[in-house]
Amino acid sequence: MAGFLSHNMAPIMFAALVVFLLLGYPVAFALAANGLLFGLVGIDLGLFRPDFLQALPERVFGTMNNDVLLAIPFFTFMGLVLERSGMAEDLLDTIGQLFGPVRGGLAYAVIFVGALLAATTGVVAASVISMGLISLPIMLRYGYDRRLASGVIAASGTLAQIIPPSLVLIVMADQLQRPVGDMYEGAFIPGLVLAGLYASWVFIVSMVKPEAAPGLPPEAQTLRDADGKTRRLSLLVVTVISTVGAIVLMRTFSNVKAGADYVVLTLSVTMIIGFVIALANRLLRLNLLSRLAEEVVFVMVPPLALIFLVLGTIFIGVATPTEGGAMGATGALLLAAIKGRLNLRLIRQATESTAKLSAFAMFILLGARVFSLTFYGVDGHRWVEELLTSLPGGETGFLVFINILIFVLAFFLDYFELAFIIIPLIGPAADKLGIDLVWLGVMLAINMQTSFMHPPFGFALFFLRSVAPKDSYLDRITGKRMAGITTAQIYWGAVPFVVIQLIMVAMVILFPGMVMHYKSAVPKVDPSTIQIDIPMPPGGDLPPPSLHFQDLPPDLMPPANLMPPQDLAPPQDLAPPSDLAPPSNPAPPADLAPPPDSVPPLDQVPPAPEGRAPDGQAPASEETAPSAPVGGEPARQQ
């Protein structure tokens, strides 16, 4: 038995962890207990060195001292404050009015607002609960299919896990030892493409089955002008004017011409111009914009400003993710104060929820540190690395296997648990295969996003179930009796969006440029094209070193304005005074001079020995004298 344990300690340890989790033990305690238990067994069998455990306090302290993880409570607090300040309600109401008349317009509005909330909150629970409370009754009121409505809300809420500032991307960057800014920048385009795929599914459903996603009736469109018209064209005009003005200003007054810096700054200027136009129209009563256009601008500018404040400063390198999170939390408090909804109760609720989520994440991370210490001590990382690198298919086989593994484990584990347990094991193997770890991290983050949508343990489904009506209810607007939503309808509504998420994983594998664009700001140098030309003087011989520029060849002479002055002596006014100038023949101090009687006269100085020049210099010619014999008698001169 001991021999079997000795040869298979790593796989047995991993299998025991799976058993602990399936039995329902808390993940953090299961990880720590498993690590300590197998550590003691390994010490008894001689497979684990006891001094490894002495590094455990240092590993725990290093986790608590990690500045990157400090961004988790900042972004969590920011999202909870925004969710409780009513920003999500204002966005859903206004954007729903904008897209409402279009078939499936409310579903498009939910996806659009879900992307905005993801870029401002980064918390799935806040997004799903907000949209479930606000938009689900409206969608049911106007005849949306219950499976489509619940699936769109749950899937749009999970965008908070892939669109920065995502908490899972912070954890992923920490586990893969990659910069959070690179992970954010690499995940931005896949997140937007995923939102576009959600909208494409809504479009397909609305075309195939129009009654499943009807448009808003005219009486539900309340943002109208006095004559009853909405005039959506004015919003398009404001958008075009703001965009053109921002591009012109950037080309005229900015030296930034390309890259993420240019995009962020251009969008910021566009937002400012649009806000100034809408503000001037309202204050001066110009009536150039419709009521709908004004409301859309005033509702969208605050979250967009917060997005550019947080993500913009991170992308252009002005702030670290931790500093960006601190600015985002401060900005959320300011927005809540501007809306008049900042009070002590809101701050207390947001602080308590932030403390719970942060403690949950940190306890799991500390348990994972204990588990990984023992796992690495019994060479478990080598076992995993050899297992993964020996898969058939090379890099492609590795990616397929890892994504299937993550997808299956997501049925049972949360994304935090997956990130802390699985990612540290597969990261070294991926690095050995030459896989870019930022690309791998974004790919696995999209895959782990399915853990929120997996029946029966998807957390997004649980969040939606907690706010969706189970029984029939009386609609407060129409007064009609509305049927509730069953759990089966919520689960079936999530299935198409899980498939879309898997399609997105395949797209990231097939088109890595969607993620690898984060390297575009770094100048690329091909070592094979580097050529160093050193001009040679005529004749091919280099001149001897010289301190005078006049001795250099003409083609190596520096410009005249960079030539040193001919006279490098200090100016006269900087010369030392005459009384401080050193004497021409300095004599040693009297107390250091030898006594007169100890210095022999010059005529009594003995001559230098034969064969040696005075003052230790070599003689002009030397002859080798025979050495003395062993007996010590002097050798005869020949």
Side-chain angles (χ1 to χ4, degrees):
M1 184 64 179
F4 178 78
L5 289 176
S6 300
H7 290 88
N8 301 279
M9 177 68 77
I12 293 175
M13 187 176 178
F14 191 79
L17 174 63
V18 175
V19 173
F20 270 105
L21 295 178
L22 292 178
L23 290 176
Y25 283 95
V27 178
F29 302 126
L31 284 167
N34 212 3
L36 293 177
L37 175 63
F38 279 90
L40 296 177
V41 174
I43 291 174
D44 185 63
L45 296 177
L47 301 175
F48 185 74
R49 295 171 54 186
D51 53 358
F52 264 60
L53 295 178
Q54 297 177 0
L56 187 57
E58 184 66 26
R59 290 173 69 89
V60 173
F61 179 76
T63 301
M64 304 299 295
N65 200 34
N66 192 340
D67 293 338
V68 175
L69 298 178
L70 190 61
I72 293 178
F74 280 140
F75 284 124
T76 305
F77 181 80
M78 179 185 73
L80 294 173
V81 169
L82 291 176
E83 183 262 331
R84 286 169 170 78
S85 65
M87 185 192 72
E89 182 178 355
D90 296 339
L91 278 171
L92 283 168
D93 182 44
T94 306
I95 304 303
Q97 294 280 336
L98 178 63
F99 292 115
V102 183
R103 186 184 298 171
L106 285 177
Y108 295 136
V110 168
I111 296 172
F112 183 80
V113 173
L116 279 180
L117 291 179
T120 51
T121 64
V123 182
V124 172
S127 300
V128 174
I129 292 175
S130 298
M131 292 188 294
L133 288 172
I134 300 166
S135 63
L136 185 59
I138 301 175
M139 299 175 78
L140 298 181
R141 180 182 306 148
Y142 296 111
Y144 271 72
D145 182 80
R146 281 162 169 72
R147 290 177 298 181
L148 177 64
S150 59
V152 166
I153 292 174
S156 300
T158 60
L159 288 174
Q161 288 310 296
I162 189 60
I163 295 181
S166 165
L167 300 184
V168 71
L169 291 178
I170 297 175
V171 176
M172 193 74 68
D174 175 69
Q175 296 300 307
L176 292 175
Q177 300 297 314
R178 288 298 180 269
V180 180
D182 290 349
M183 198 72 71
Y184 276 0
E185 194 166 351
F188 198 75
I189 291 180
L192 297 181
V193 173
L194 185 59
L197 292 179
Y198 290 167
S200 301
W201 171 249
V202 173
F203 176 78
I204 293 174
V205 172
S206 63
M207 292 294 104
V208 175
K209 194 177 179 182
E211 67 275 8
L216 280 179
E219 61 271 14
Q221 303 174 35
T222 58
L223 293 179
R224 295 175 176 272
D225 292 343
D227 56 0
K229 296 182 179 180
T230 56
R231 292 187 175 87
R232 290 177 172 79
L233 185 60
S234 62
L235 179 61
L236 178 61
V237 173
V238 172
T239 304
V240 172
I241 293 175
S242 303
T243 305
V244 173
I247 294 175
V248 172
L249 290 176
M250 288 295 296
R251 290 184 176 179
T252 306
F253 299 103
S254 176
N255 295 326
V256 181
K257 303 300 181 184
D261 300 13
Y262 179 79
V263 175
V264 170
L265 294 176
T266 303
L267 291 177
S268 302
V269 176
T270 302
M271 177 191 65
I272 294 173
I273 294 175
F275 183 77
V276 170
I277 293 175
L279 187 63
N281 182 77
R282 174 170 293 187
L283 295 179
L284 302 178
R285 299 181 179 180
L286 301 176
N287 296 325
L288 298 177
L289 300 180
S290 64
R291 181 186 173 191
L292 177 63
E294 275 191 3
E295 288 297 327
V296 169
V297 172
F298 286 130
V299 166
M300 288 186 59
V301 163
L304 288 176
L306 198 61
I307 291 171
F308 294 138
L309 176 66
V310 176
L311 298 183
T313 53
I314 294 175
F315 284 175
I316 65 178
V318 175
T320 64
T322 302
E323 295 166 347
M327 290 190 296
T330 305
L333 291 175
L334 292 177
L335 289 180
I338 292 173
K339 291 180 177 291
R341 298 169 182 173
L342 182 63
N343 50 54
L344 185 60
R345 180 171 175 270
L346 183 148
I347 296 177
R348 185 179 66 252
Q349 291 178 348
T351 304
E352 290 177 355
S353 300
T354 302
K356 290 179 181 178
L357 182 60
S358 302
F360 166 76
M362 292 305 297
F363 265 96
I364 293 179
L365 181 55
L366 293 178
R369 285 284 189 263
V370 179
F371 177 83
S372 63
L373 178 67
T374 305
F375 195 75
Y376 279 46
V378 297
D379 291 335
H381 60 293
R382 295 183 181 177
W383 171 73
V384 174
E385 183 176 324
E386 292 174 359
L387 176 66
L388 296 179
T389 54
S390 61
L391 291 172
E395 179 180 325
T396 304
F398 173 84
L399 293 176
V400 171
F401 175 80
I402 288 302
N403 280 283
I404 293 176
L405 176 66
I406 294 292
F407 180 75
V408 173
L409 292 178
F411 277 94
F412 313 102
L413 300 179
D414 181 45
Y415 69 96
F416 269 127
E417 300 159 4
L418 290 171
F420 290 142
I421 298 173
I422 304 299
I423 301 304
L425 300 179
I426 65 178
D431 195 23
K432 186 175 182 180
L433 289 173
I435 298 174
D436 185 88
L437 294 186
V438 173
W439 178 46
L440 179 69
V442 173
M443 181 195 313
L444 296 183
I446 299 173
N447 199 335
M448 285 191 288
Q449 189 179 352
T450 60
S451 66
F452 284 93
M453 301 286 291
H454 274 318
F457 301 116
F459 281 93
L461 307 181
F462 290 161
F463 297 146
L464 183 59
R465 175 72 279 177
S466 66
V467 297
K470 298 179 182 179
D471 304 320
S472 61
Y473 64 97
L474 193 65
D475 186 72
R476 61 184 180 87
I477 301 297
T478 62
K480 296 180 180 180
R481 176 66 60 177
M482 306 294 296
I485 297 181
T486 64
T487 303
Q489 289 173 335
I490 294 177
Y491 284 172
W492 281 111
V495 171
F497 294 95
V498 173
V499 176
I500 291 175
Q501 290 169 346
L502 295 179
I503 293 174
M504 189 66 223
V505 173
M507 290 179 63
V508 172
I509 295 177
L510 296 175
F511 307 104
M514 287 194 295
V515 178
M516 303 298 285
H517 70 89
Y518 81 94
K519 292 184 175 181
S520 60
V522 181
K524 299 180 180 179
V525 178
D526 186 3
S528 62
T529 61
I530 298 177
Q531 182 178 0
I532 302 176
D533 293 328
I534 302 178
M536 299 292 291
D541 296 329
L542 289 175
S546 174
L547 297 179
H548 301 286
F549 285 96
Q550 291 81 0
D551 298 337
L552 293 176
D555 54 347
L556 295 181
M557 290 286 291
N561 57 347
L562 297 181
M563 289 286 292
Q566 297 294 330
D567 186 9
L568 295 181
Q572 293 297 328
D573 54 349
L574 295 181
S578 57
D579 54 346
L580 296 180
S584 57
N585 296 317
D591 55 347
L592 295 181
D597 55 353
S598 63
V599 180
L602 293 178
D603 55 352
Q604 298 181 9
V605 175
E610 183 178 359
R612 178 173 299 180
D615 297 334
Q617 298 177 359
S621 61
E622 293 183 357
E623 295 182 358
T624 304
S627 59
V630 177
E633 297 180 2
R636 297 180 181 178
Q637 295 183 358
Q638 297 178 359

